[in-house]
Amino acid sequence: MSGPRIVVDLKKIRSNTQTLVRRLNARGISVTGVSKSFCGHPAVAQAMLDGGVVGLAEARVSNADRLRKAGMTCPITLIRTPMLSEVDQIVKTCEASYNTEIAVVAALSAAAIHQSVTHGVILMVEMGDMREGILPENLPEIAEQVVQMKGVALKGIGANFACLNGVAPSSGQMESLSSLADEIEKICGPVIQTISGGNSANLPWALAEHSIGRVNDLRLGEAILLGVDPITGEQIGGLFKDAFTLVAEVIETDEQPTPRRNLPELPKIRIVSNRNDIARLILAIGHQDTEVAGLTMPEGGTLIGATSDHLVMVTDCATLKLGSEIVFQMNYKAIMRAMAAPDIETVLLNDRPSRQSRSSQGEAEFLTLV
Ligand SMILES: *Cc1c(COP(=O)(O)O)cnc(C)c1O
């Protein structure tokens, strides 16, 4: 194995998914697995399905297409408001989409009629994150318009928290979401099957000791992949934090750690030790490959800086030499960038569930990728 690579331990993805699914199912909430951060890599998505998610959610139709091309038949919901220019492709590839614009729903309706299918619509409500959504006061009227359109079926409502503003939802906001479903049903009848409460930032709310109202689904990416609460960064009990790691190779070593002055791209203030047992290393990875600021340095290592293709660090680990490989933990942004980078290979560990878990959970549960 050579070159910079992401190593994904699929057993840990399956395990993280199972743990979250079990805990949320006990509260009447299903889990939709969000595949956008790993660019819809089919094997990682399959690990989420093996772990019990009811379907996948994608932000990009190109990633949804990648899942379909790999033979995946599970429900896929588009979670980014569709572009008007891509409605045909969305109707072809995804069972449903999150929507905020009635003109887009009308275009989806026309595309669905043309393709003789029914496309599901989930209306995204703006509950305070100020990213996307329909204002609550406009929701019942828009829902009524959707219900009257042919080719589309109103399936539910959803909200999104802590994406743009990093503020977790309050229980008051979550109660309002449930009441909105009731309000729509007073006008449109019992149409709301899914009330999707939000993303990984909703987990503390969903698992706390209070009523969860009508919320019956969460869309989870980060918590499954990284095992952490995205707001506090704290590990979630029972989950693995190291399902994804990034490996890069040392291409130059230097015993003198003091950098020359005025190197471009280096931060202005930096503390560099003058101990002479510290080595300076250059690695073959850079901004073109990942979000360097989102890498956790290995023990004894300090990041000095990076350029498009090089990462410079110092380390007190004497065994590191030319050709050594260094393993980094990544945050969500670093994973997202590295999964999309053309020079980073993806290596899968534990690709299929073990024999034991296979027989204990039933053979039929695991689809075969083609
Ligand atoms: C990215 C995204 C999610 C998943 O968020 P995580 O923090 O990874 O759980 C859920 N819903 C929407 C609309 C998103 O854009």
Side-chain angles (χ1 to χ4, degrees), residues 48-66:
M48 283 181 159
L49 288 164
D50 291 343
V53 300
V54 292
L56 298 172
E58 239 317 320
R60 291 169 193 250
V61 76
S62 56
N63 290 341
D65 204 39
R66 182 180 180 192

Side-chain angles (χ1 to χ4, degrees), residues 34 36 79 124 131-132 160 199-200 219-222 332:
V34 177
K36 69 183 181 202
I79 42 175
M124 186 62 107
R131 192 177 74 175
E132 78 267 56
N160 201 44
N199 54 40
S200 297
R219 308 174 304 273
L220 301 184
E222 184 163 357
Y332 198 55

Side-chain angles (χ1 to χ4, degrees), residues 95-106:
E95 273 76 10
S97 55
Y98 278 79
N99 283 276
T100 59
E101 294 278 353
I102 194 70
V104 174
V105 181

